[in-house]
């Protein structure tokens, strides 16, 4: 069912353009008094370490089994940016949640730092299922997954071959493959794509000869009169107190930027291929109707099998749904995971209750 969110009030919270004031309701560094947080590490199938934060409701009965949700951060971010917020808000509703750092980012292993490896990003979600399933208070048959921005495409990639993920949701999803091959709205030509590939190949030669790793893309570090509106949107989150975070061992100059020679790995990443095979496990796609990225959620919704749901949040931009707690449809996420992570004897998979 395609749903238009109409019950949210948003007009008073226009996106701040100056990069100095937070938009209304922005609360990326939210800390819940209703949950306990434990830093954890766990192994991927390839014996590398993934770092995460495990959130458990303080009232949770640990002598019984409960549903759990893995949460992945935006591409170029770390778990402290958006993922922790979502994980805690869902833990407030009674779920056990796990926010993770993707391999090569944040506290997770991987060298060089900020390298792009879509298969290992997807593997981190499956490794998160392994970890959650090892907790005595988690029901192995009731584990869901949520990906924000780029992690939306990584969680889809993972879920296609890991049926242990019983319900999959994405927020402000980017298809990182299409975004790099074609750019937004298919605005990049094949010739431009080839130029990017050639530049990465040349940098790979340099690094093979001993040159230092170079970074690319990411969010600008200062605004000018010519800064693109989309870059301004990301700047307001990643380069201000609203969402700025530098992981231990990194530098503010490196945050958000993938490595130049590895970023072309996304050219071979096709997360929506065979997305319909996730069915009959339910999928929920949430995007803002003003989001520059909404094309990816719409395409995924159109390709996915039933049951599925697309939620458009009125007035919300791409980054608004990273941290603006007054715009993020928490009730929809809660009802979706509640309906679809019930004990097997209670209910068959469903697409989620009607929009609150």
């Amino acid at each position: 069912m395609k749903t238009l969110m109409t019950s949210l009030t948003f007009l008073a919270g226009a996106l701040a353009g100056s990069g100095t004031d937070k938009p209304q309701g922005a609360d990326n560094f939210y800390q819940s008094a209703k949950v306990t947080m434990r830093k954890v590490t766990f192994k991927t199938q390839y014996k590398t370490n993934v770092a995460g934060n495990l959130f458990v409701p303080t009232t949770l009965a640990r002598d019984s089994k409960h549903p759990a949700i893995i949460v992945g951060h935006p591409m170029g971010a770390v778990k402290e940016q958006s993922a922790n917020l979502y994980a805690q808000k869902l833990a407030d509703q009674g779920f056990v949640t796990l926010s993770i750092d993707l391999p090569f980012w944040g506290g997770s292993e991987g060298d060089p730092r900020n390298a792009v490896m879509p298969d290992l990003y997807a593997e981190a979600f499956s490794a998160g299922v392994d970890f959650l399933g090892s907790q005595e208070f988690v029901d192995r048959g009731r584990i869901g997954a949520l990906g924000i921005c780029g992690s939306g495409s990584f969680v889809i990639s993972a879920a296609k071959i890991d049926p242990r993920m019983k319900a999959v949701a994405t927020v402000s999803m980017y298809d990182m493959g299409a975004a790099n091959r074609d750019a937004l709205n298919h605005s990049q030509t094949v010739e431009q794509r080839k130029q990017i590939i050639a530049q990465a190949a040349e940098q790979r030669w340099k690094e093979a000869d001993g040159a230092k790793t170079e970074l690319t893309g990411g969010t600008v570090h200062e605004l000018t009169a010519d800064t693109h509106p989309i870059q301004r949107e990301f700047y307001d989150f990643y380069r201000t107190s609203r969402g700025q975070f530098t992981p231990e061992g990194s530098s503010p100059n490196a945050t958000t930027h993938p490595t130049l020679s590895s970023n072309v790995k996304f050219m071979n990443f096709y997360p929506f291929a065979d997305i319909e095979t996730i069915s009959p496990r339910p999928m929920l796609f949430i995007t803002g109707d003003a989001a520059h990225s909404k094309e990816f959620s719409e395409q995924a919704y159109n390709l996915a099998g039933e049951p599925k749901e697309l939620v458009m949040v009125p007035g919300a931009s791409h980054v608004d749904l990273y941290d603006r707690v007054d715009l993020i449809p928490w009730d929809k996420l809660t009802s979706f995971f509640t309906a679809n992570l019930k004990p097997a004897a209670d209910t068959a998979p469903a697409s989620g209750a009607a929009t609150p």
Side-chain angles (χ1 to χ4, degrees):
M1 179 178 63
K2 186 172 181 178
T3 305
L4 179 66
M5 295 290 292
T6 58
S7 62
L8 299 173
T9 57
F10 58 88
L11 295 177
L15 180 68
S18 65
T20 58
D21 298 319
K22 293 181 183 178
Q24 177 180 320
D27 198 8
N28 177 69
F29 297 107
Y30 169 78
Q31 291 186 320
S32 173
K34 301 178 183 178
V35 306
T36 61
M37 188 274 280
R38 176 165 62 95
K39 293 183 178 181
V40 299
T41 59
F42 49 91
K43 297 289 186 183
T44 68
Q45 196 173 48
Y46 305 102
K47 309 305 179 187
T48 58
N49 285 320
V50 173
N53 290 330
L54 180 67
F55 298 97
V56 180
T58 55
T59 59
L60 189 88
R62 295 188 178 233
D63 58 351
S64 57
K65 303 286 190 180
H66 302 274
I69 303 167
I70 306 160
V71 183
H73 57 75
M75 179 61 204
V78 290
K79 62 185 179 299
E80 288 80 8
Q81 293 164 312
S82 195
N84 276 356
L85 168 63
Y86 275 79
Q88 288 180 88
K89 285 289 188 178
L90 289 169
D92 284 347
Q93 301 304 312
F95 298 98
V96 177
T97 60
L98 174 69
S99 64
I100 63 172
D101 279 329
L102 296 175
F104 304 98
W105 298 87
S108 291
E109 282 187 345
D111 188 53
R113 303 309 296 162
N114 300 14
V116 169
M117 185 58 69
D119 284 353
L120 288 185
Y121 296 167
E123 163 61 22
F125 282 92
S126 289
V129 174
D130 297 339
F131 173 80
L132 285 172
S134 71
Q135 307 304 302
E136 61 182 10
F137 46 84
V138 170
D139 186 338
R140 288 189 172 191
R142 300 164 66 194
I143 298 175
L146 166 64
I148 303 161
C149 185
S151 277
S153 57
F154 309 143
V155 75
I156 288 172
S157 180
K160 288 190 296 185
I161 57 172
D162 194 340
R164 300 175 303 166
M165 299 177 196
K166 300 302 183 182
V168 177
T170 70
V171 176
S172 287
M173 178 172 56
Y174 252 78
D175 173 348
M176 294 305 302
N180 279 272
R181 283 188 301 273
D182 306 317
L184 294 172
N185 301 311
H186 294 265
S187 58
Q188 181 169 277
T189 67
V190 172
E191 186 56 39
Q192 289 171 322
R193 183 195 309 174
K194 289 180 177 180
Q195 291 173 5
I196 293 169
I197 293 171
Q199 182 184 21
E202 180 60 29
Q203 177 60 29
R204 186 158 180 158
W205 275 126
K206 293 177 181 178
E207 292 173 11
D209 290 336
K212 70 181 183 70
T213 301
E214 293 289 339
L215 302 177
T216 189
T219 301
V220 298
H221 293 267
E222 61 180 31
L223 299 179
T224 69
D226 298 326
T227 302
H228 192 279
I230 292 176
Q231 274 287 4
R232 289 179 177 272
E233 184 182 355
F234 284 121
Y235 180 97
D236 282 340
F237 182 79
Y238 288 113
R239 303 301 181 204
T240 74
S241 60
R242 174 183 173 187
Q244 186 172 23
F245 185 86
T246 302
E248 183 178 357
S250 186
S251 160
N253 292 328
T255 58
T256 77
H257 301 291
T259 66
L260 172 59
S261 59
S262 73
N263 198 56
V264 290
K265 302 290 186 186
F266 280 135
M267 300 288 189
N268 277 343
F269 181 51
Y270 293 84
F272 296 169
D274 298 324
I275 189 175
E276 72 279 4
T277 62
I278 294 174
S279 176
R281 288 172 289 149
M283 301 193 72
L284 171 65
F285 308 99
I286 297 174
T287 187
D289 71 357
H292 65 262
S293 58
K294 69 179 181 180
E295 63 181 282
F296 302 124
S297 293
E298 292 173 327
Q299 182 185 15
Y301 172 80
N302 289 334
L303 293 172
E306 296 286 354
K308 61 184 177 181
E309 187 168 4
L310 174 64
V311 171
M312 290 277 192
V313 181
S317 71
H318 177 87
V319 174
D320 280 341
L321 299 185
Y322 282 13
D323 67 339
R324 291 188 65 185
V325 295
D326 57 342
L327 283 178
I328 297 167
W330 302 113
D331 288 347
K332 170 52 63 179
L333 283 165
T334 299
S335 65
F336 172 77
F337 284 117
T338 298
N340 295 298
L341 297 180
K342 287 184 176 180
D346 286 1
T347 184
S351 62
T355 301

